[in-house]
Amino acid sequence: MGMTLEKLYALIQLQPEIIKELKRIGSLMDMESVEYELNQMVDGKSPREAYQRLKTIFQEDEDHLRMLYCQLECACRIYEQYLERNIPEIIYIDTMKCFTRFMGECEKKNGRMFFDRGWWTYRQVSMRLFRIGALEYEFKEYNHENVIAVHIPSDADFSPACVSQSIEQAELFFRTYYSDYRYCKYTCNSWLLSPALKPLLPRESNILSFQERFDIIEENPNDKEYLEWLFQVPADTEYCGLKAVTGLQKKVKALLQKGGTVGSGFGILKRDMET
């Protein structure tokens, strides 16, 4: 049985006020006029280009909700491909829950909900990225070879046990459903891999445990995305205005006010390539 928007909204527990707006927009949308872009997004070969075309078409897109509507329509269409590959439905649901999560993050950061992640979520609706347990995994390239990029959702259980379980499940997932990626390296580009965090955290920290899984091969001290993830504020927020509640927030704020920075790190997962 195919996936409908109504069923998808329920499965991912999309916020009721957003559902109401999407129903209004759906009644006004001329879907035939964007059929080419939807097909292009779903086929997985050029989803970014499809997103850019839709963005051009929807120049006057209040709160980017027409883009959201179209991407959720793509999420419905991609469900058939999950079935064809026999991928468990729970992975489909967990992957598409990103839309609900991002709406919540947007409200927390900006005081209201709008769709600010269309530049990211075309990956989920084109089967380029999957949520498997605590973490997300994306098909990417690094140094002209295929790799699997690891992402850490904001709601992830970041305990060592859950991270290990997710990685093990991911290796099984790619062996089973995408065997061409069986021996690919796993990479991660994140503020959580920044070496600047080491002196700020206790040895038993979940973040340090995560860092130790990777060979850190690059650092980017100018990356400011950590402000959005650690403090839930726009990256251009003045340091003096940062609300610091947790121990790490307080230490990072103090570091910033002394002229330091966190930045980010890029690493390759240490793993047994024979598995």
Side-chain angles (χ1 to χ4, degrees), residues 169-201:
Q169 291 173 340
E171 291 187 322
L172 176 60
F173 175 88
F174 291 109
R175 284 202 306 270
T176 304
Y177 305 110
Y178 292 93
S179 58
D180 289 350
Y181 282 79
R182 176 173 179 172
Y183 295 110
C184 284
K185 295 173 182 174
Y186 284 51
T187 66
C188 184
N189 185 11
S190 173
W191 71 277
L192 292 166
L193 292 187
S194 169
L197 294 173
K198 286 187 178 180
L200 308 180
L201 294 165

Side-chain angles (χ1 to χ4, degrees), residues 43-84:
D43 72 14
K45 296 174 184 175
S46 50
R48 184 177 182 276
E49 289 78 2
Y51 163 72
Q52 293 292 351
R53 284 177 59 87
L54 284 174
K55 190 177 176 183
T56 301
I57 293 168
F58 297 152
Q59 286 186 10
E60 301 298 323
D61 186 9
E62 185 178 359
D63 288 346
H64 309 293
L65 293 182
R66 284 193 287 173
M67 179 68 76
L68 176 60
Y69 186 88
C70 285
Q71 289 200 4
L72 289 171
E73 170 63 24
C74 289
C76 289
R77 297 184 183 191
I78 212 76
Y79 182 71
E80 295 296 330
Q81 293 188 39
Y82 271 78
L83 294 179
E84 289 170 8

